[in-house]
Amino acid sequence: MFVDARKLPDGTVLETEVCIVGGGAAGITMAREFVQSGFRVALLESGGLEAEAETQDLYDGTSIGRPYQDLTAIRLRWFGGTTNHWEGWCAVMDNLDFESRDGVRYSGWPFPRKHLEPWYRRAQTVCQLGPFGYGPDEWGITPARIPAPFNGPHFICQVLQKSPPTRFGEVYRESLRKAPRLTVYLNANALRFVTGRQGGDVQRLDAGALPHGRFTVKAKIYVLATGAVENTRLLLSSGAEGGNGLGNDNDLVGRFFAVHVEYVGGVIAPADPYIDFQMLNGDSADTFKRDVPREFVSYFALSEATRARERLPGMRIRMHQDVGKVAGLEALKRLQAHQDVMKDLGILMRDLGGVASYGWHRMTRGKGVPVNAITMRCTSEQMPDPDSRITLGKDVDALGLRKVAVDWRLSAADKRGAVFNNRLLAREVGRSGLGRMKTLVSDNDNDWPSDMHGDEHTMGTTRMHRDPKQGVVDADCRVHGTSNLYVAGSSVFPTTGTANPTLTIVALALRLADHIKERLA
Amino acid sequence: MTDAMRRITRRSLGALLAGTAVWLGVRPAFARTPAQRLLSLLREQPLALGALCVKALPGEDADKLTAALMRGCGTDGSSRSAIAANIRDDFAQGRIVDADGWQLSLTEARLCALAALSSRMA
Ligand SMILES: Cc1cc2nc3c(=O)[nH]c(=O)nc-3n(C[C@H](O)[C@H](O)[C@H](O)COP(=O)(O)OP(=O)(O)OC[C@H]3O[C@@H](n4cnc5c(N)ncnc54)[C@H](O)[C@@H]3O)c2cc1C
């Protein structure tokens, strides 16, 4: 059932067994899991079924560190959440991403990737993907097809799968509407989890509907699933009156804010300008379909062995080719339109050599226009850094909740990792004979390439750790110091790797749903 | 002309510089883009790249460059394949020169630097 919370009488108290806050990838995944269970579930979603400016404005915040993205643009605040505009690229994190890595402080999840695999497999279905398969060979990329130096040992080929992309709010709307014991409250904003004076368990959730509606939810178990930034904001706004937030006894909530760092790391002058670029360029790799309609994207990455040995952040590389134009050929094409015939004839005559070269290479190499340059678009892992953080600012939103201030920082370790990785790549490019590479990443610790930016994958701010002194949630994603509040989403990632996060978010949400089902059984 | 320059024959210097051209390559002219402008340094202005290599190899004058290159080329220094092998070996052994971001093998960086210095002397 769907209920518009704006129509609830002021002061309503909703009683339920499980209360999920947030109807995005994580929240909807969990709600679906409870459809068949015997207990009552309330899902509180801030937005309606479509975008509304007043609700979207509730996402406003400021950037007080390195410039970060517009918080009202990267996140969407209506049913389905940010999956209303995600691209659907799905990848599994590397084994190493879960490990405690030598030389990488604060690294290590409470469990290895192997533990998460059963839920990764189930997440495939939720994200409307094909079978669980992330080895290049499973997609027809045999080792022989992978050009050096991307056949190891330092750089390897990886694949990600493309979801349609699943718009969670549309695809799963009907099944949730029909679920007998599940109610989705639209336009329902969580404002504050209230605990006793000493903190501890959540006693109730105060909620609001724009413009002034107020109601309360009382549940046995609460799940916070509002995305990494908002999960932080709600925890910092909750807990005992006058305190520093819920789950924040050790001043960890909001710290370790991480995103994937994107920049052009270098340019390759290929030794062979007629190189088979299809294999190198993930964009066109989706022509290799395993079985219709499943698609994948291939890319290159720093190998786990090299990352571990050299203590490096992960790096993913996608290549873009800069293809030349044959002036004579362009003129020839225009001649067919009979426009400026004399001018184009002149160009054609002057570039007969170019046209001949085009024809010859087309015949002998299958492609006539040479690749002049290959641009290396890099995605770097951000190393865990407690100083990169989200706090509450002074301004408040239309519901009276303090807005966030994002203090995004990159450390010297991040920069040195990027320098090392790009140098290594350039050397490998030279060693393998692929060409020569100019790296665009300077040695200066603070000076990133001018196009560098943090992407929209927000992570890390309620990190998972068995020890309450080192993490906000435990290995079950339960907020330390409470028995009935859980967190779902990428805020629990202790380290981020370079994989797109949503498949892991969905896998963790499925795992958490299983845990809660067991608890309530 | 210095002693070292005199010692190498015109033929062997020619071979060394031809070695530079082995990987610089010659291409038909195509329309320019920003990335290509960057690459033009490598492709069409080996001397500009050479100037970067001179900077990246401080203390190596024409004498030293020539001597080092000759040493790496066996007895007559004329073998293209010896140069190519040295370049491969440089990469394998990590003898890399950073010329304004370009990661070049020591041998090719020396070749480019020598080309630039020779043109200044000519
Ligand atoms: C342009 C873009 C492209 C992307 N492409 C990819 C991709 O290709 N692959 C990938 O893996 N990831 C991608 N992502 C990231 C992906 O969208 C997120 O990882 C994913 O949506 C996170 O799921 P979530 O449920 O944690 O949060 P969200 O999907 O953001 O859902 C949070 C929900 O909580 C609700 N909410 C917020 N505050 C409250 C409140 N106080 N009370 C009640 N409800 C609240 C919101 O309205 C929203 O519905 C992309 C993101 C963007 C911006």
Side-chain angles (χ1 to χ4, degrees), chain A residues 81-133:
Chain A
T82 310
T83 68
N84 285 304
H85 73 174
W86 79 314
E87 284 178 45
W89 289 24
C90 290
V92 284
M93 293 174 77
D94 289 340
N95 285 307
L96 186 69
D97 293 329
F98 291 80
E99 286 171 20
S100 178
R101 286 141 68 186
D102 272 349
V104 180
R105 222 171 145 207
Y106 309 109
S107 62
W109 290 47
F111 45 79
R113 185 182 104 172
K114 202 172 168 355
H115 165 83
L116 198 59
E117 253 171 46
W119 292 284
Y120 260 139
R121 284 174 193 277
R122 280 166 55 191
Q124 293 283 117
T125 316
V126 179
C127 296
Q128 300 176 292
L129 300 163
F132 184 81

Side-chain angles (χ1 to χ4, degrees), chain A residues 24-26 45-46 74 77-78 81-82 85 87-89 190 456 500 502:
Chain A
E45 166 51 45
S46 167
I74 57 167
R77 195 159 170 145
W78 75 88
T82 310
H85 73 174
E87 284 178 45
W89 289 24
E456 51 286 317
N500 308 62
T502 308

Side-chain angles (χ1 to χ4, degrees), chain A residues 38 71-72 95 135 138-139 144 167-168 194 213 246 301 321-322 326 332 352 367 374 393 446:
Chain A
L71 292 172
T72 61
N95 285 307
E138 294 173 81
W139 295 89
R167 304 275 174 240
F168 280 66
V194 180
L246 185 51
Q321 60 179 333
D322 174 5
V326 182
L332 198 61
L352 278 178
K367 91 197 255 186
I374 299 171
N446 294 310

Side-chain angles (χ1 to χ4, degrees), chain A residues 267-274 322 324-326 354 357 370-373 375 423 426-427 430-431 436-440, chain B residues 23 27-31 33-36 38-39 41-43 87-88 91-92 94 96 98-105 108:
Chain A
V267 182
I268 293 178
D272 174 7
Y274 297 94
D322 174 5
K325 276 203 165 81
V326 182
S357 158
V371 175
N372 286 314
T375 303
R423 288 244 168 92
R427 283 164 198 198
R431 182 189 62 76
R436 293 294 179 272
M437 180 174 150
K438 178 179 168 77
T439 79
L440 301 174
Chain B
W23 62 267
R27 300 272 164 76
F30 296 107
T33 65
Q36 278 174 276
L38 193 68
L39 291 169
L41 262 188
L42 189 62
R43 298 235 173 281
I87 290 174
R88 277 197 302 275
F91 276 115
I96 308 292
D98 183 322
D100 193 33
W102 287 105
Q103 303 296 305
L104 305 175
S105 89
E108 63 197 1

Side-chain angles (χ1 to χ4, degrees), chain A residues 212-266:
Chain A
H212 307 297
R214 288 290 184 270
F215 60 98
T216 300
V217 185
K218 287 193 168 172
K220 280 189 185 153
I221 286 177
Y222 301 85
V223 180
L224 182 52
T226 55
V229 177
E230 226 53 20
N231 284 351
T232 310
R233 183 184 182 195
L234 279 166
L235 284 183
L236 289 176
S237 307
S238 295
E241 200 73 56
N244 67 339
L246 185 51
N248 201 23
D249 290 350
N250 295 299
D251 188 25
L252 287 171
V253 175
R255 292 193 181 272
F256 298 96
F257 172 61
V259 293
H260 290 138
V261 185
E262 308 241 335
Y263 56 93
V264 172

Side-chain angles (χ1 to χ4, degrees), chain A residues 10 33 49 66 89-90 130 147 219 254 259 264 270 298 335 350 359 389 440 499 501:
Chain A
D10 230 22
E33 287 297 303
L49 294 177
R66 265 184 191 277
W89 289 24
C90 290
V259 293
V264 172
S298 67
L335 273 173
R350 280 194 299 279
R389 68 187 296 201
L440 301 174

